Amino acid sequence: MPRRRTSSSASSTAASAAPRNRTPQPVRVRRRSFGDFVKAFLAFVVLAGLVVGVPLALAMTAGWPFPDGAPGLDWLQREITVNTFLSILTVIVWFAWAQFTACVLVEVKAALSGVGVPGRVPGSGPSQLLARQLVAALLLVGATAASLTPGLSQLGQGMEGNQKPSVAAAQQTPGLFAQHQEQAAGTANALAEQAGQAAARADGASAAHGDTKYYRIQPPEGRHHDSLWEIADRHLGDGRRYHEIFELNKDRVQPDGSKLSEASLIRPGWIMEMPGDARGGELVEMPDEAPNVSEQVRQQIHDYAQTGDHAQGSGGAAGGSDAQVSLPEQRPGPAPASPANPAPAPAPSAGQEHAAPAEAGHSFGLPEALLAAPLLAAGLLGALGRRRRQALWQSALGGVGGRRGMEPPTPTGDAQDVSDALLVGADPEGVRLLDRSLRGLAAALTAESRALPVVYAAWMSGNGDLHLQLAQPSGKPPTPWQSGQDETFWVLARADAERYEDADTAAPYPGLVSLGTMDDSRLLLNLEAVPGLVSLSGAEADRAAVFASVAAELATNGWSDRMTITLVGFGDDLTPLAPNRIRHLDGFEDLFETMSAETRQRRGALGAAGHDSVLTGRTGPAQHTRWAPHLVLLAAEPSDEDALRLAELAADAGRLGIGYLVGTGGTGLTGAAWEMEITGEGRLLAPLLGLELDAQLLPAAQRRAVVELFTDADPEHGPGGPGGPANTPPFLVDISEQGRPAVYARLVGPYEIIGLDAPDGDRSAQLHEALALLLLHREGVHPRVLSSALWPRGVTADVRDALLERLRAWLGTDPDGTPRLATDATGRLTLAKTVVSDLDVLRSLYYEATQGRGTGSRQVRGRLLTDALVLVRGPLLADRPEGRYRWLTHEIIDAQLPLLVADTGLALSEFHLEKNRAEKAIEALNAALRTAPDDERLWHELLRATHATDDTGRLHSLAADLIGRSGARGLPPRTEALLDELLPAWRDGVAAAG
């Protein structure tokens, strides 16, 4: 698998790989024009009028705002007149003037001191924007105008788009986020041509040989952290020239012994050599001419200057010098393969080891995209199971006999292949560990009264270790987390993650989503933390596959509590995957209207709650009720105008918990903070992030098949929905004497097999488990599904094939020589009709009684229902050994069997009550309750049957038993209503007992 490009390997391709709007360009110093002087004069007049003229006018006309004496109670008793309102209005004008004057002072101080982003005056809003524009215009012709240039490029924009929010500033990425803000404001300089890249390097190199100047990285002040972009902005006049500083200092040894390898990773105390045209009071001209610094710093600069002859310009532009997401370097190599513990496939994640080496290159017809997406497959599989269980319960409430949707439809064609791929590829253990690890981290930080750090990405290595990449150093991680390769990596070993228990805390990073794999590590990008837009270029079909994968995983993942996903421009409706999470919008106008309102709402809610960002809102008392992420996926390519509007929306999105992933046909999307490209070979490239991944995809055919699975499981729209035909069990047996099976397995209760000799002791457990899986799937079982069920951590093909041969030999053949274990045309394993389970017989008896021969004969119906209920001996596989049959967690038989038994008991009770045989009805209901004790319908029918006996004491006992079972939750409303009808005095008995 190709690895991440290094500087040396990527220098030859830097110019072609890097997007045009990401190439830092030196700018020409524009001469002051006559118009600049006119603007400066007008700005001076306006400032003088607002700062000096307004208070003088107020003082002469309305007087000073300060009262003559202390206020008394008689003020409250005075009559309210027009003068009262005028006085109140005057005070408001005085306050507005004071606020504007404060804004002017803050902006002037920031401009003259060159500190970069000025402080924000509380509640200033447009007042500070106006003050900034006037001060910038006034100082445009002065010596400090260079430091104000970024502010001038944003004239006319909103306050939020012009000023960096506090948290966004804390998590900003040098070169990317600052450049994104300028693009969001409409600046065209970010779209400079690629031809200027070579000139930039040449100018940087020539400047380096001029007068040597140095800058020492300053420690953070509050939430403000020094960055190469701001250093270039203050001392070179253009933040985009940060690349020149990076090239001059790349790979040189710093005073603490480390080296500058990425433009985003700089540390306080480091020394930066500056280009010759740098200016500003914070610079040191020469190491020996530094009278204003300590001897220690002077010596550090002197020693650093000795390394100045290192090779420069060796391809630093391509190797991800701007990378904000990097591959963890400290990760153990994969364990050696063995039959018992085979090496994982090239692209699996922490727990996804289902594919053995012998099978890694062959999918047996299953979709490779889902086999290589363990977290996505686990989410889809879990959501599909929940949807099917919901359909079962909804259909159960629709009627007693012949209810629709009793059996979920059996997938066929592509849907069957996708269903099998989900079973094989899913890694629910990996999802569980990821979820517990993140929640455990949040709980530990909360216990230490520490805020959640901004996380850009998570890497899940092949051995199960979890690496979190932080936007900035956040101190020592809480135990059992450890520091990684540098201060921006926190690492949790799999062994430590397995000791985590469920934590009662909100999901801290619900916006993480899998993008693909690099080497043996899987990347999850935190879309809601990206400071701006994320663009995805490439062919339309390839982009759609990435978007579908991202949307499906976000909608079904197991590490999010709540989430909203807005889709724009999707051809296939993905809403069936998660109707409560996914919504579709028709176009960009609907998107702008919706997201503008939500952006304002979230910004106001954060301010009202006193939070800097959604991360601080996810800790504390309100963590479970707010700050769910909202991720917007735009498959439709925006126009240039729409891209600018999107950039303005996304300017403050990082701290608000809103992420944007935008598709585009080419590179250079205006306002994109991070740019990615999907190739026709399934490679996801992000040159400026230094990433080359095997992309996680959900192609169109698999996307349609996944949607089909969810649609068929929907009780409202699936085949078993209202108006649809009642589903027939997938396998009906001959219940006559002539249909006696050759092999009979009892699954409902303790596991027993009749008709076969006991297998070899060492292989008995596996053979029994394999047969149980085949009996529960009469439609056939894919060989890979069988092997992944028996060996969740993977197995070689020869071990699997050996087991299948033993299973065939154990089952034997029918008298006519037909093997009882065969392979159908699709390659799936099927059992002969002579191999039957009691569950098959139970389904067949109930079907015949309610939809077959029993509908025309009361006597036949009663006999069939009685025979069916006799088969029920307890829960499914009641004595299964611990550690085996884990595949049952993916099944819905645990919900089907109790419902089937309850339906049988209800039908038999109805049969007896028709002839007023209440005792027989009670006996049938009690038999059903032993397997389905939580079915409210059985208890209701038992109350009615007991009431039919006219034994009030017995009814009181049953009501007391029900109340005791309900516990602190109390009785369900429908049960209370039924008791009110049958036993009006039941509440008095409860009060007396209490």
Side-chain angles (χ1 to χ4, degrees), residues 278-364:
R279 59 187 180 275
E282 298 171 333
L283 299 179
V284 176
E285 281 290 332
M286 291 292 290
D288 297 330
E289 299 176 8
N292 297 325
V293 298
S294 65
E295 182 62 33
Q296 179 184 5
V297 174
R298 185 183 308 159
Q299 185 61 41
Q300 289 177 354
I301 297 177
H302 181 275
D303 295 341
Y304 187 75
Q306 306 305 314
T307 66
D309 294 330
H310 71 294
Q312 309 230 4
S314 58
S321 62
D322 299 336
Q324 306 309 308
V325 178
S326 56
L327 187 66
E329 296 174 358
Q330 296 178 358
R331 60 190 196 283
S338 67
N341 183 28
S349 71
Q352 176 56 21
E353 301 169 359
H354 303 341
E359 298 178 337
H362 195 282
S363 63
F364 288 89

Side-chain angles (χ1 to χ4, degrees), residues 370 376 379-388 390 418 422 547-557 565 567 570 572-584 633 698 702-714:
L370 289 172
L376 169 61
L380 290 172
L381 195 61
L384 184 59
R386 291 189 295 272
R387 182 69 53 81
R388 286 173 171 171
Q390 179 187 9
V418 164
L422 293 178
F547 275 107
S549 170
V550 170
E553 185 170 298
L554 289 173
T556 61
N557 71 42
I565 306 164
L567 307 179
F570 278 72
D572 293 335
D573 191 353
L574 296 175
T575 303
L577 303 186
N580 296 329
R581 285 192 176 188
I582 296 180
R583 66 178 178 183
H584 282 254
L633 308 180
L698 188 59
Q702 283 80 59
R703 181 169 68 250
R704 288 190 293 268
V706 167
V707 172
E708 179 183 342
L709 288 174
F710 279 80
T711 303
D712 289 346
D714 191 334

Side-chain angles (χ1 to χ4, degrees), residues 112 190 206 314 331 376 443 455 602 678 713 725 801 890 965 980:
L112 296 178
S206 61
S314 58
R331 60 190 196 283
L376 169 61
V455 170
R602 289 196 173 215
I678 180 65
D801 294 341
H890 303 315
R965 287 174 176 270
D980 287 337

Side-chain angles (χ1 to χ4, degrees), residues 198 274 369 513 579 614 623 645 727 749 823 869 904:
M274 301 292 289
V513 64
V614 296
Q623 58 180 321
R645 296 173 66 185
N727 288 339
T823 303
L869 209 54
T904 305

